[in-house]
Amino acid sequence: MALFFDQDWFNTRLRALGKNQMDVAAVLGLSPSQVAEIWKDQRELMPQEVAQLAKFFSVPAAEIADRAGVSTPLPQEAPGEGDMGAVMEKLDELGGRMMRIERAIVDLKALILDLSRKE
């Protein structure tokens, strides 16, 4: 894993594809100056940007993350058909969290009404 953004690797890949940083900017939906910040290791890549660059360069996302520096996160893979149990479990968990948040909001409203009546 590269400690810093591996400019040489990315520049070599761009040349091999006949592309440049302007093409990267278009793919990522960034300005040329934002791409320059990535190349200078002044801006971190987001997971979705890692995925987009992996497609652009036709390499695995892990390769992009490795070459982009130590703190570059890998994008999470979309769940496959066999992962529906995990998806449903996560939805159940989120549903429970939502119910607790809604209860807390009701409790806060009641507390605010109670305090406003006392004034």
Side-chain angles (χ1 to χ4, degrees):
M1 176 176 284
L3 185 58
F4 300 105
F5 187 86
D6 189 348
Q7 289 181 18
D8 292 336
W9 184 86
F10 283 94
N11 288 334
T12 300
R13 294 293 299 178
L14 283 174
R15 280 192 300 278
L17 295 171
K19 305 285 184 180
N20 59 40
Q21 287 184 21
M22 293 293 286
D23 297 306
V24 172
V27 165
L28 298 179
L30 299 175
S31 70
S33 63
Q34 288 172 310
V35 172
E37 288 172 353
I38 292 169
W39 250 246
K40 292 186 249 175
D41 210 17
Q42 296 173 341
R43 181 184 184 283
E44 296 294 325
L45 286 171
M46 302 301 293
Q48 70 272 13
E49 293 168 335
V50 170
Q52 290 166 324
L53 285 176
K55 276 185 171 178
F56 179 74
F57 287 114
S58 298
V59 298
E63 177 80 13
I64 298 296
D66 284 347
R67 301 287 184 166
V70 294
S71 62
T72 304
L74 272 171
Q76 293 202 351
E77 293 182 23
E81 283 186 34
D83 296 331
M84 283 310 290
V87 170
M88 295 308 293
E89 193 175 303
K90 190 68 168 173
L91 284 174
D92 288 342
E93 177 190 330
L94 290 172
R97 290 175 71 188
M98 184 62 90
M99 281 185 359
R100 288 190 299 276
I101 290 169
E102 289 170 345
R103 274 191 234 127
I105 290 171
V106 169
D107 291 345
L108 285 171
K109 282 182 179 179
L111 181 61
I112 291 169
L113 286 173
D114 218 24
L115 289 172
S116 66
R117 290 184 191 137
K118 291 180 183 180
E119 291 178 355

